[in-house]
Amino acid sequence: MSTPHYPFTAVVGADSLDEPQPMALALLLTAISPAVGGVLVRGEKGTAKSTIVRALAAVLPPLDDAPVPLVELPVGATEDRVIGSIDLETALGEGKTRYQPGLLAKAHRGLLYVDEVNLLHDHLVDLLLDAAAMGRATVERDGISMTHDARFVLVGTMNPEEGELRPQLLDRFGLTVEVAAPREPAVRAEVVRRRMAYDADPAGFAARYADSEAALTTRIATAQKLLPEVVLSSAALLKIAEVGAAFDVDGLRADIVTARTAVAHAAWCGRTAVTVDDIRVAARLALPHRRRRNPFDAPGLDEDLLDQILGDDDLPPDPPEGGGPGDDPAGDGGEADAGPSTDAADGPAHSTDDPADTADAPPRSTADFADTADAPPRWLSRSEAPAEDRVETAAGTQTTTTIPAGTPYRTRLLTVAGTGAGTTGRRSRAKTSSGRRVGVDPAATAGAPHLVETIRAAIPHQHARGRTDGRLLIETSDLRRAEYEGRESNLVLFCVDASGSMAARKRMAQVKTAVLSLLLDAYQRRDKVGLVTFRGHDAEVVLPPTGSVDVAAARLQDLPAGGRTPLAEGLTKVAELLAVERIRDARRRPLLVVVTDGRATSGADAVARSHLAADRLAQQGVASVVIDCESGPLRLGLAADLARHLGADYLEVGDVSAGDLIAAARIATEGAA
């Protein structure tokens, strides 16, 4: 007997059907109306994201007396596993072409759950979102051309610290919710109490919540039946349009999703007409992730602005001649320009608007409600003077300065020469699991078999194997797997001199701008970027290798400068960090960019120790470049000496601007095989 699942209504915050937490409510609404477009749950680890998603399937009304299927898509899934492919056994054994369904087909009329969806390859996320939006999947591969139904509720979970989804993909999810662990001790204690009770007696624990689970199933079924009867009035639709225009969201998908969500919420509450409260709930779930203007922006919504737009008044009813479920949205038998679908599965119809009724009331803009709602992100708009902090040290008072970065810019493409074998990305040429097929590998143990080459390898052995009929005799040694050439991601590691001399010459602003710009490019190309700084008497990993641009932007913006120059400690910290990264991902090739004037002023034999640390990095074959920040009529040439010890390319700061720093990185990568 299988272990009972953890009950949906046992999750703290989801145990109240009248006021469920946002994550539970979003899941319920998209289950009531799959046309909403799925849910993306963002949050730190240990916040019951996976638990509540798996519990949702058990409370959904059964389909034809069968439980709703829950299909989990692993992060490492291949394209043929997702959309299906040819049945290799049938093709080889019987000589017939037969389609082997993928996960999309198995998820039809059920839930498709992707944990860590932000780590899934972008082209697979595109496949999922296309199928979820259209309700069908198209297969064009391996001699198969077909289309099959694939109507499912897509649910993705992710930890933003492990990297973000691209804004284009983020926008495709209907709803997004942010979750975090509760901070109240009593709530945290209750979570632990329930989990321990479940672990001790799963069956008994599930039995205690059987009535609440059944009540939830009944309520979902009732809402699904009520959904086609819910009326979205002209006033409600106009109010939704005002919200979308005021928050300046791109396109009309936000308006459509908000309308569908508001209709689903009305059905959940047992109403047949959409109210202001329904729109407010829908906007909170459908708009925050669509407010992002670039990858550095965190999702969010101005609640005060939303309240100003919606107000507290009830929506006026439609005129008697309009507003019925059977009215034509376009008013002339054609299709409406925008708004919810009139299909019962997508939600209700909406009535015809009289242009005279709205001519004097155009959708309001953000400026009508708040002066700062359209302000650029804080990391772009900080123009205040650099802050200075005085720190008392054994050598006296030391001043540190925090210098803001400039506006990030589009970088040149950085590529590592040769063919690597790193993690699939969008930067350097490499052997990957997808891309352009360049050959076959008889020794490979992973990847999709190549049918033609496998048959070709087996044909010479048929007589020796005793073939007597039309069946082709295949053995494991015959298998040939395709070799693909695509793009890999890389690790760009900056080692930045943050001492007092750097702060005085404002070099830190150039460095920060370059790192932010490269991070933006790395985000788009699925790279990792790290930052090590050295100042005072030690070095610090300010930014561990990451793809999370939100965390990176915040840490880089607040990076201080001042004090002595512990160059040797900085290079040693780099070596330690690279050693750890080689263990985590030995295939990802790094590039080290050292920004310094080459002076080492911290500790005894500072210069000799820095050269020794540089020699060790050179022996490890780390591709690197040194940017010399020394200026003035008298130059010591210490950075050039450092470059020789590192085996690095060397550039003077006079030839380097923020953009040239990226060019310098490209010089180093193109010179590394």
Side-chain angles (χ1 to χ4, degrees), residues 294-336:
N294 56 70
F296 293 110
D297 293 338
L301 195 68
D302 188 335
E303 292 281 349
D304 292 337
L305 174 58
L306 180 62
D307 290 339
Q308 291 181 53
I309 300 170
L310 295 178
D312 297 324
D313 298 333
D314 292 334
L315 296 170
D318 277 345
E321 64 271 18
D327 284 358
D328 179 10
D332 57 359
E335 293 183 356

Side-chain angles (χ1 to χ4, degrees), residues 622-644:
V622 178
S624 56
V625 59
V626 171
I627 308 300
D628 187 357
C629 297
E630 188 177 29
S631 62
L634 180 61
R635 300 191 177 213
L636 302 178
L638 299 177
D641 290 340
L642 176 65
R644 285 191 289 271

Side-chain angles (χ1 to χ4, degrees), residues 195-381:
R195 185 69 211 191
M196 294 182 68
Y198 171 77
D199 293 339
D201 182 11
F205 184 84
R208 292 199 295 272
Y209 287 88
D211 291 343
S212 60
E213 294 281 279
L216 179 56
T217 301
T218 300
R219 183 163 177 177
I220 294 173
T222 301
Q224 290 174 337
K225 293 178 181 178
L226 185 63
L227 186 69
E229 302 177 18
V230 179
V231 175
L232 180 66
S233 67
S234 298
L237 186 57
L238 181 59
K239 187 66 69 174
I240 290 172
E242 286 186 358
V243 172
F247 280 101
D248 195 26
V249 294
D250 294 332
L252 292 175
R253 181 179 287 120
D255 297 47
I256 295 172
V257 173
T258 302
R260 290 174 174 170
T261 307
V263 169
H265 188 261
W268 167 253
C269 296
R271 295 191 295 267
T272 57
V274 171
T275 67
V276 168
D277 287 337
D278 297 324
I279 298 174
R280 180 177 286 104
V281 170
R284 288 171 175 168
L285 297 174
L287 297 185
H289 60 296
R290 294 183 168 91
R291 287 282 295 153
R292 298 186 66 171
R293 284 293 175 266
N294 56 70
F296 293 110
D297 293 338
L301 195 68
D302 188 335
E303 292 281 349
D304 292 337
L305 174 58
L306 180 62
D307 290 339
Q308 291 181 53
I309 300 170
L310 295 178
D312 297 324
D313 298 333
D314 292 334
L315 296 170
D318 277 345
E321 64 271 18
D327 284 358
D328 179 10
D332 57 359
E335 293 183 356
D337 292 336
S341 169
T342 57
D343 187 271
D346 290 342
H350 52 276
S351 65
T352 304
D353 289 335
D354 185 349
D357 294 338
T358 60
D360 295 330
R364 290 172 285 180
S365 67
T366 303
D368 294 332
F369 301 100
D371 295 333
T372 60
D374 269 339
R378 285 188 301 169
W379 62 271
L380 281 181
S381 60

Side-chain angles (χ1 to χ4, degrees), residues 394-482:
T397 301
Q398 171 182 308
T399 300
T400 62
T401 304
T402 300
I403 302 172
T407 302
Y409 49 83
R410 184 177 179 85
T411 67
R412 303 176 186 180
L413 173 62
L414 313 182
T415 58
V416 178
T419 303
T423 303
T424 300
R426 296 187 171 189
R427 185 170 298 278
S428 304
R429 191 175 67 179
K431 292 182 179 180
T432 59
S433 58
S434 62
R436 180 172 61 91
R437 188 175 68 85
V438 296
V440 293
D441 185 358
T445 58
H450 191 273
L451 180 59
V452 174
E453 296 297 337
T454 297
I455 293 176
R456 182 177 296 173
I459 287 176
H461 307 290
Q462 297 305 295
H463 179 72
R465 293 172 183 172
R467 176 180 176 181
T468 58
D469 53 21
R471 295 184 59 187
L472 186 66
L473 301 180
I474 301 291
E475 294 185 358
T476 304
S477 60
D478 300 326
L479 289 179
R480 300 292 185 269
R481 289 179 168 82

